[in-house]
């Protein structure tokens, strides 16, 4: 009987291992399909410049952001925010394969895969394989659903932590100095990779002390071996610390100044401990849902209790299990407790919490299996067998789900411009190694392709310079994206002109692509009147993955006076509420446009603290909570000498508002010229969607106006409720469809979605676009739906919108080559 259970468990363990490996391959496959676009390139991704600079120029320093926040010390030749190990690993990969942000982001994923492999190697055979499978499955699912892979060292912190768990366990089992040395080294490297993980050091010390106490109690300890092991532990910890300090030339005073300033920002914050801890725990585990959170918490509690029992137990059972339970219990508990004092929130900070908790849960499962086996030989095997089968079934289900449909991340990646494409479009306009001030995300390849410095650091350096030095070091170009261009910021080309009055900065190009909005490229020119003509334009259309790099002749559009526009932009804790001094309005058909707005300058200078700007919106009241991407609407500042500004606007049809925020007496908008962006249209035959008379509103939604070409809908205030749906539209299975449906929103937030024949979203209603492209899969009919997409479940205004006649086109299923050969091949 026991032999049969052992064979069954071995087979189930192998099946679980293969199933988890299959899920890992599906996750890897999906990752490399979205990683070049999703997540969007954030400010933290600018840290990739460290790896790039080491790989290409042998410089370990953040060249794009050379001044350390909180202390104002230089970090262009030594970097002390994080430890060097992650960035030197990235430098090695960059040197070997060439620079790629996707490659550097992949470090995050492959570090977790290494942790999963270590779990399989660490937990013993039979029962251990089921426990390792649980850890690997939980970790991969967490990465796929909750973690944000970007260029940050947080994942490497977790790798060092996992290595510490293994080496500390080996040290407890074998009581050898070399294992304590490696445990101390990994704990030190993990703590110094990101100082938020400082609790790895006390966790290491506690494991050592408890281990020595257990050895002494069992009669295997002594002062001499304890001193030897302590010396080995200290040597490992000291080596990790020395590597960290050596990476920035032992500038200890600079490090302490940075830590003091950062402490006042993230630690000395008057926030209740419990609320801070709950926020971190929610960020770590809310993706699981309530049932699985309760289950995980129960298993972790069991793991903590087993760790305590294993330490105080005098039998061989406790001594055998403590090596697996004690290190993860201390790491997870101490790190979770420390997060309650850290009132700064980031998905990267909870990776160590997730990894250590999953490892502790796996160790708890293994501990239970082993204790049951020691109690009754067949009991542990009998419980481990269904656990291994459960892992195999769950892994197969998750793999099938990933292969069945496109993930939400890959779907977003299809709707967004590739990071590499957008960067190349911006940087490709600039001369090689041009000096640039701009966002760090476009300067990762500094100092190779460009020499970029973040504007705030540039202005800080200018404050200490003479005017002669400012003139000599004024950048050739200035880049402004939506983040830098949002209301309330002061580091703009206007501020640079005031710092170097012998020059002016004139916009020479605009690059637009979702989700980054518009990046403006300003070129330095001698002071004088602005040049005539239009700037270069590059606009990305996600539906066809196509760039348009030109404009058509201006169209005849009549703008009339409109009510003032209200902008409410919140960034972090700051709210910028601006009411325009004047606004004009026009109605435009759907399309992409370059707007040239002629300005009338006032008789008095504008307020230096509130630089005048022009914004383009589709509503008179716009409220946004902005991230690193900045606001979704386009706006532009202007200076004393500017007589015109340019804006790029992707319009969905209906009214468009141009608002001027300029309190100078006599200021105004002189004229507006509208230039359509020239896209090359495919030679595709579009056919009309079903007549709008056949579309049906949802219960509680009213059609208030209806004509042959347009309907007006009064919707409800639901969060995601369907508002207006087409009848089934016949399509071919397995073909690509282009859909165009003009929707103009007058109130609320709505978006267009497409449902499959099975009622699943093919296109989720997340935002409005001028065109949608999707694959029909197994569906022979689809339903087009206009739905609410409100951020909150309550407190939303009822939606009101207009829907025009739509059209769609299906791409030929068979390849052009096959069609050509079918009709013209001579071999019959």
């Amino acid at each position: 009987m026991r032999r049969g259970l052992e064979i069954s468990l071995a087979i189930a363990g192998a099946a679980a291992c293969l199933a988890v490996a299959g899920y890992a391959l599906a996750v890897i496959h999906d990752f490399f399909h979205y990683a070049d676009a999703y997540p969007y390139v954030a400010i933290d991704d600018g840290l990739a410049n460290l790896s790039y600079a080491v790989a290409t120029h042998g410089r370990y320093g953040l060249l794009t952001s050379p001044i350390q926040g909180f202390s104002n010390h230089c970090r262009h030749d030594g970097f002390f925010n994080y430890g060097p190990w992650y960035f030197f690993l990235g430098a090695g990969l960059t040197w070997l394969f060439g620079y790629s942000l996707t490659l550097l982001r992949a470090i995050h994923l492959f570090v977790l895969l290494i942790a999963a492999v270590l779990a399989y190697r660490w937990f013993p055979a039979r029962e251990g394989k089921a426990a390792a499978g649980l850890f690997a499955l939980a970790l991969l699912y967490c990465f796929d659903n909750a973690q944000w892979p970007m260029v940050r060292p947080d994942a490497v912190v977790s790798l060092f932590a996992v290595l510490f768990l293994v080496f500390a366990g080996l040290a407890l089992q074998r009581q050898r100095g070399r294992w304590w040395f490696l445990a101390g080294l990994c704990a030190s490297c993990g703590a110094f990779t990101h100082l938020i993980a400082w609790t790895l050091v006390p966790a290491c010390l506690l494991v050592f002390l408890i281990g020595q106490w257990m050895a002494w109690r069992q009669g295997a300890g002594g002062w001499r071996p304890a001193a030897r092991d302590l010396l080995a532990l200290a040597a490992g910890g000291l080596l990790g610390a020395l590597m960290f300090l050596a990476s920035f030339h032992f500038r200890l005073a600079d490090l302490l100044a940075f830590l003091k300033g950062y402490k006042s920002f993230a630690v000395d914050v008057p926030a209740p401990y419990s609320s801070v801890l709950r926020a971190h725990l929610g960020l770590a585990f809310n993706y699981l849902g309530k049932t699985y959170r309760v289950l995980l918490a129960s298993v972790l509690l069991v793991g903590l209790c087993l760790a305590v029992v294993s330490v105080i137990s005098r039998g061989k059972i406790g001594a055998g299990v403590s090596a697996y339970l004690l290190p993860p219990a201390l790491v997870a508990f101490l790190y979770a407790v420390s997060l309650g004092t850290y009132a700064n929130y980031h998905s990267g900070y909870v990776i160590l919490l997730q990894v250590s908790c999953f490892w502790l849960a796996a160790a708890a499962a293994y501990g239970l299996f082993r204790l049951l086996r020691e109690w009754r030989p067949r009991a542990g095997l009998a419980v481990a067998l269904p656990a291994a089968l459960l892992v195999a079934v769950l892994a197969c289900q998750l793999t099938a789900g990933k292969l069945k449909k496109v993930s939400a991340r890959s779907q977003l990646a299809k709707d967004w411009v590739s990071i590499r494409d957008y960067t190349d479009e911006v940087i490709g306009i600039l001369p090689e190694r041009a000096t640039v001030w701009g966002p760090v995300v476009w300067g990762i390849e500094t100092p190779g392709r460009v020499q970029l410095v973040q504007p705030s650091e540039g202005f800080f350096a200018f404050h200490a310079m003479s005017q002669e030095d400012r003139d000599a070091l004024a950048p050739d170009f200035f880049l402004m994206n939506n983040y830098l261009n949002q209301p309330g910021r002061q580091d703009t080309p206007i501020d640079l002109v005031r710092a170097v009055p012998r020059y002016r900065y004139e916009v020479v190009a605009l690059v637009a692509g979702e989700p980054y909005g518009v990046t403006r490229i300003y070129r330095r020119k001698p002071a004088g009147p602005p040049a005539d003509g239009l700037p270069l334009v590059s606009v990305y259309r996600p539906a066809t993955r196509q760039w348009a790099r030109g404009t058509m002749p201006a169209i005849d559009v009549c703008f009339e006076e409109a009510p003032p526009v209200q902008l409410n932009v919140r960034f972090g804790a700051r709210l910028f509420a601006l009411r325009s001094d004047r606004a004009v309005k026009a109605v435009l058909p759907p399309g992409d446009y370059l707007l040239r707005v002629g300005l009338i300058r006032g008789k008095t200078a504008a307020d230096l603290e509130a630089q005048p700007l022009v914004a383009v919106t589709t509503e008179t009241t716009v409220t946004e909570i902005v991230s690193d991407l900045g606001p979704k609407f386009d706006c532009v500042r202007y200076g004393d000498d500017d007589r015109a500004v340019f804006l790029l606007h992707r319009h969905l049809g209906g009214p468009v508002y141009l608002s001027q925020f300029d309190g100078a007496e006599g200021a105004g908008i002189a004229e507006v010229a509208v230039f359509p962006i020239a896209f090359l249209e495919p030679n595709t035959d579009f056919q009309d969607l079903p007549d709008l008379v056949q579309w049906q509103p949802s219960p509680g939604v009213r059609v208030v106006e209806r004509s042959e070409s347009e309907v007006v809908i009064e919707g409800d205030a639901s969060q995601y409720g369907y508002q207006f749906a087409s009848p089934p539209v016949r399509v071919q299975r397995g073909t690509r469809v282009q859909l165009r449906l003009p929707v103009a929103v007058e109130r609320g937030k709505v978006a267009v979605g497409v449902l499959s024949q099975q009622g699943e979203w093919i296109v989720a209603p997340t935002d409005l676009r001028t065109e949608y492209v999707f694959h029909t899969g197994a569906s022979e009919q689809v339903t087009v739906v206009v739905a609410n997409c409100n951020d909150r479940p309550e407190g939303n205004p009822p939606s009101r919108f207009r829907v025009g006649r739509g059209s769609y086109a299906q791409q030929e299923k068979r390849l052009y080559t096959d069609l050509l050969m079918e009709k013209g091949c001579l071999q019959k």
Side-chain angles (χ1 to χ4, degrees), residues 209-221:
L209 293 175
I210 294 173
Q212 295 300 319
W213 176 74
M214 293 176 65
W216 171 81
R217 191 181 59 177
Q218 295 171 3

Side-chain angles (χ1 to χ4, degrees), residues 619 632 718-719 745 747-751 787-791 797 799:
E619 300 174 346
K632 293 181 180 178
S718 62
Q719 187 174 17
V745 181
R747 186 178 61 235
K749 293 180 65 177
V750 300
N788 284 342
C789 57
N790 292 305
D791 300 323
S799 56

Side-chain angles (χ1 to χ4, degrees), residues 108-317:
H108 183 143
L109 173 58
F110 285 105
V111 157
L112 300 186
L113 293 174
I114 292 171
V117 172
L118 287 172
Y120 273 99
R121 296 290 297 170
W122 171 236
F123 291 105
R126 297 180 184 172
E127 303 93 334
K129 293 300 177 281
L134 287 171
F135 171 76
L137 197 60
L139 198 58
L140 288 168
Y141 183 78
C142 178
F143 171 82
D144 198 37
N145 290 273
Q147 294 182 4
W148 187 336
M150 61 169 57
V151 182
R152 281 179 58 91
D154 305 283
V156 170
V157 173
S158 295
L159 178 60
F160 279 124
V162 168
L163 289 170
F164 161 71
L165 298 178
V166 172
F167 291 137
L170 289 170
L172 290 173
Q173 288 178 336
R174 303 177 184 180
Q175 294 296 322
R176 293 289 187 271
R178 62 176 176 270
W179 300 120
W180 286 119
F181 171 82
L182 292 173
L185 175 63
C186 291
S188 177
C189 290
F192 285 113
T193 295
H194 193 320
L195 293 173
I196 192 177
W198 63 271
T199 53
L200 286 174
V201 174
C204 180
L205 291 174
L206 283 174
V207 169
F208 174 79
L209 293 175
I210 294 173
Q212 295 300 319
W213 176 74
M214 293 176 65
W216 171 81
R217 191 181 59 177
Q218 295 171 3
W223 291 109
R224 185 168 296 176
R228 177 203 64 200
D229 293 344
L230 179 60
L231 183 62
L233 183 76
L238 181 60
L239 178 59
L242 288 175
M243 285 191 286
F244 172 63
L245 295 173
S247 68
F248 52 87
H249 314 298
F250 296 92
R251 291 159 51 191
L252 189 59
D254 291 351
L255 174 64
L256 294 176
F258 159 67
L259 293 177
K260 181 179 179 181
Y262 191 73
K263 180 174 179 290
S264 64
F265 166 74
V267 179
D268 299 335
V269 178
Y273 175 88
S274 59
S275 64
V276 174
L277 181 58
R278 279 198 303 271
H280 284 293
L281 292 175
L283 195 60
F285 301 114
N286 274 352
Y287 73 97
L288 287 174
K290 185 176 181 180
T291 301
Y292 286 101
R293 290 201 304 270
V294 172
L295 179 61
L296 177 62
S298 302
V299 174
L300 292 176
L301 182 59
V302 170
L304 290 172
C305 293
L306 286 176
V308 174
V309 170
S310 69
V311 170
I312 63 178
S313 173
R314 289 183 175 273
K316 64 177 183 178
I317 298 176

Side-chain angles (χ1 to χ4, degrees), residues 5 32 142 186 204 218 284 338 400 403 466 480 590 599 652 673 760 807:
L5 283 174
F32 281 100
C142 178
C186 291
C204 180
Q218 295 171 3
S338 73
L403 298 178
S466 65
M480 286 285 288
L599 302 172
L652 301 172
E760 299 177 341
S807 60

Side-chain angles (χ1 to χ4, degrees), residues 541 543 590-592 650-653 739-742 768-772:
R541 179 178 286 180
D592 298 271
R650 172 158 291 165
H651 196 54
L652 301 172
L739 170 69
R740 295 173 179 173
L741 182 68
L768 281 174
R769 285 171 259 157
T770 56
E771 188 171 83
Y772 306 83

Side-chain angles (χ1 to χ4, degrees), residues 652-675:
L652 301 172
V656 59
Y657 297 88
L658 284 168
S659 49
Q660 184 183 35
F661 300 80
D662 188 343
E665 182 182 353
I669 295 176
E671 60 179 354
V672 181
V674 180
F675 302 89

